[in-house]
Amino acid sequence: MWAFGPLPGAPFGTTLPHMVKGVGKLRTLALASALAAGIARADSPAARGFDPDPARLALSVDGGFVVETAAAAPEGSKGAALVLDYAEGLLALRLGSETDQLVQSRLTANVLASWSFGRLEVGVHLPIAMHQGSDLSLLTRQGVTGPLADPVAATALGDLRVGAKLPLLEEGPMPVGLAALLELRAPTGDKQAFTSDGAMAVPGVVATRHLGAWRLDGQLGYAIRAPGQYAQLVVHDGLVYGVGASVELPPLSAVKRWKAILELSGGLPRGDNAQTERYRAPLSALGGVRAWLWRGLAVEAGGGTGIGDAGYGRESWRVFAGVRWSEGEVVGPPDADWDRDGVPNAQDLCPRQPGTPELDGCQDRDGDGIPDPQDKCPDEPGPAENNGCPVKDDEPLVEIQTEHLSLKDSIHFDTGLDTIKPESSRILDAIAALLNQHPELKRIQVEGHTDNVGARTYNQDLSQRRAQSVVRALVQRSVTKERLGARGYGFEKPIADNGTALGRAKNRRVEFTILSEQ
């Protein structure tokens, strides 16, 4: 929020309301004289010529909402998008003790297109204000007329943007990816309608780092432009920045790939300080999801808000939704494989880091069979039952439930075999000790289960053999053989989604069902 005053031509420290009170019936003449004096000076309080919504959508094929990413899409990739954005509280006006929204609301249609030429990626963006609401009554009630009180158009074009991205460092060989950015804006918008900043150039850089399913982006640039002004608010050149975090989410029904995106964007104008309202520093937060529904077709939706006082660059709230099409992006063509790990991007949960097909294209730093993005303790091995985290020493490994034994750890087998791995001795010892302490548990059925990789007959046989191996291991630990039975179910009874590596790990299990008690 920003104040109206002091007006040029008035005594220093005299705001508009005070001047109105002193002139009585001659207030209109006094206001006009003050305004004329201001326009005659270098200050131009009625100039306008700035957009109160400074954030702009990312131009690259695989960018976030407003924050770019460093890597360029593969050569030949192209995309297009239509994003509708509705924001309220874009420009606040304070006149003495009264406050009103000068630009109350705006519905914008954003049309975007992008192309990748390999080392160079370019994009264009045209925002169109389909409807915006404004209120100048706070001025007109005081008798203000002329340019300062000219109406604001309800529909108008915005400034055409053209941007280019040139990657400088590739993530993988280097700790982060780094790219140079250059954005040019043509003054196609309407300055009087607050939809144009005039001609502008924004050189900058963006850095990117992947951490499992997470992608972190940081962008910094400098906006070079002529000043715009309304009343005492001046908008001119300065730093612009954005930080973003996106995370790949597990597949959901027909949605094979989707991700959540959180971003913070803002600016720091030259000359900004806490002692004046002449310059304001924009700051806004956004959050939402983007989901790929079919090949290169994606939809997105989200919302956001300005942080701090409402007004220029700190909208009260906003919502947005859009549709995107891309060719050559993460999900199209279907056989694209950016990290060359043999897992197509459409199925790769870590498309920028090489992994293995068994782990959905991701890495497994601690070697516990759970991919890092789904492992809650990626640097400490732990069972799938505990989401990859180790079981604490003071926790019981086995507990008796009403119809089964509850296990906090897994019984591990060699891949495709019924051979029990040595690290399973701890949990087998605990199961045997509990059964020997509770002879009233007359009959226990040991049940083997597999994931859905492979044929039904093969998995049925494998699960049966593994159940029998567990029975033999317990008998060796002094459990009476007559108390134990073995049955294999193959992949008939999954407890998790076989479409993810974590789900498959949870489905590869041994269960203990209580058949009878004394």
Side-chain angles (χ1 to χ4, degrees):
M1 187 180 300
W2 50 276
F4 190 135
L7 275 176
F12 182 77
T14 301
T15 59
L16 180 60
H18 296 140
M19 187 164 60
V20 169
K21 183 177 181 180
V23 299
K25 294 182 180 179
L26 298 178
R27 61 184 180 183
T28 302
L29 178 60
L31 288 169
S33 298
L35 179 57
I39 294 176
R41 298 169 53 184
D43 236 9
S44 186
R48 305 190 186 186
F50 66 90
D51 190 330
D53 190 7
R56 291 294 181 270
L57 296 181
L59 293 170
S60 56
V61 173
D62 197 33
F65 295 140
V66 298
V67 180
E68 299 286 357
T69 193
E75 183 175 0
S77 299
K78 50 184 176 289
L82 174 63
V83 181
L84 298 179
D85 175 271
Y86 179 81
E88 286 212 349
L90 293 176
L91 192 60
L93 176 67
R94 185 172 68 238
L95 194 58
S97 61
E98 294 184 79
T99 301
D100 211 341
Q101 294 292 336
L102 178 63
V103 180
Q104 296 172 315
S105 61
R106 180 185 292 173
L107 175 63
T108 304
N110 297 278
V111 182
L112 301 102
S114 53
W115 301 264
S116 176
F117 300 96
R119 287 290 297 169
L120 182 69
E121 189 173 336
V122 298
V124 296
H125 169 215
L126 180 64
I128 305 169
M130 301 176 65
H131 179 78
Q132 61 179 358
S134 60
D135 186 1
L136 296 164
S137 62
L138 199 56
L139 298 178
T140 58
R141 289 198 306 268
Q142 303 293 339
V144 176
T145 60
L148 201 66
D150 281 347
V152 178
T155 60
L157 284 178
D159 290 336
L160 177 67
R161 303 167 59 220
V162 180
K165 177 172 68 176
L166 179 66
L168 303 176
L169 298 177
E170 182 181 356
E171 186 183 7
M174 304 299 294
V176 298
L178 186 68
L181 304 172
L182 178 61
E183 179 186 323
L184 302 175
R185 298 187 192 178
T188 57
D190 186 343
K191 291 185 177 182
Q192 292 302 302
F194 293 103
T195 62
S196 177
D197 288 298
M200 183 185 296
V202 189
V205 294
V206 58
T208 297
R209 175 67 186 271
H210 284 80
L211 298 173
W214 288 86
R215 188 184 80 190
L216 307 179
D217 299 304
Q219 182 176 336
L220 180 66
Y222 193 89
I224 304 170
R225 52 159 299 164
Q229 183 176 352
Y230 189 79
Q232 76 176 63
L233 176 66
V234 175
V235 179
H236 57 61
D237 56 311
L239 290 172
V240 290
Y241 62 87
V243 291
S246 60
V247 59
E248 299 285 343
L249 302 173
L252 180 65
S253 186
V255 179
K256 298 302 181 184
R257 180 186 177 233
W258 64 311
K259 61 181 177 179
I261 303 173
L262 297 173
E263 295 179 336
L264 184 72
S265 63
L268 185 64
R270 176 173 51 86
D272 180 50
N273 66 74
Q275 305 304 316
T276 177
E277 291 185 326
R278 187 170 179 81
Y279 309 113
R280 299 306 302 268
L283 185 60
S284 297
L286 286 176
V289 296
R290 181 177 295 164
W292 284 261
L293 302 181
W294 179 77
R295 297 176 68 89
L297 183 66
V299 295
E300 64 187 37
T305 183
I307 299 176
D309 292 339
Y312 169 72
R314 301 179 182 227
E315 70 280 7
S316 299
W317 58 271
R318 74 185 329 128
V319 291
F320 62 90
V323 59
R324 293 178 180 266
W325 168 84
S326 58
E327 181 179 313
E329 221 261 6
V330 176
V331 294
D335 58 350
D337 183 11
W338 286 356
D339 55 16
R340 298 183 178 87
D341 61 1
V343 183
N345 291 336
Q347 287 83 45
D348 199 331
L349 293 183
C350 304
R352 293 290 188 182
Q353 290 183 317
T356 65
E358 294 78 15
L359 297 172
D360 300 327
C362 296
Q363 298 177 356
D364 178 18
R365 295 198 298 270
D366 56 16
D368 60 4
I370 302 171
D372 291 342
Q374 298 173 331
D375 195 333
K376 290 189 175 180
C377 301
D379 295 310
E380 298 179 276
E385 288 85 348
N386 209 31
N387 295 308
C389 291
V391 181
K392 297 179 181 179
D393 291 338
D394 58 351
E395 286 188 75
L397 292 178
V398 188
E399 293 181 321
I400 300 175
Q401 302 293 331
T402 304
E403 297 179 347
H404 64 278
L405 304 185
S406 175
L407 276 59
K408 293 289 183 64
D409 204 349
S410 302
I411 299 175
H412 298 279
F413 299 86
D414 290 332
T415 302
L417 301 174
D418 59 10
T419 307
I420 300 175
K421 289 186 175 182
E423 60 261 33
S424 301
S425 293
R426 182 186 176 204
I427 183 65
L428 287 170
D429 290 344
I431 296 170
L434 183 141
L435 292 178
N436 289 328
Q437 292 168 7
H438 293 273
E440 72 275 8
L441 301 178
K442 292 294 186 179
R443 185 73 174 168
I444 302 294
Q445 180 166 276
V446 181
E447 300 173 349
H449 301 269
T450 68
D451 58 31
N452 66 346
V453 177
R456 181 180 298 275
T457 303
Y458 167 80
N459 280 284
Q460 178 71 37
D461 177 69
L462 178 63
S463 63
Q464 180 67 35
R465 289 187 285 112
R466 285 180 170 179
Q468 291 170 343
S469 293
V470 172
V471 169
R472 288 193 294 271
L474 294 176
V475 170
Q476 292 172 358
R477 289 166 171 79
S478 302
V479 179
T480 305
K481 182 177 181 181
E482 289 71 25
R483 298 175 64 192
L484 303 173
R487 183 173 179 180
Y489 286 95
F491 51 69
E492 292 180 3
K493 295 185 176 184
I495 59 172
D497 183 7
N498 273 310
T500 68
L502 177 59
R504 292 190 295 274
K506 289 184 176 182
N507 288 333
R508 296 189 298 269
R509 67 196 191 278
V510 177
E511 294 184 336
F512 296 81
T513 300
I514 301 172
L515 297 181
S516 64
E517 298 182 53
Q518 188 172 357

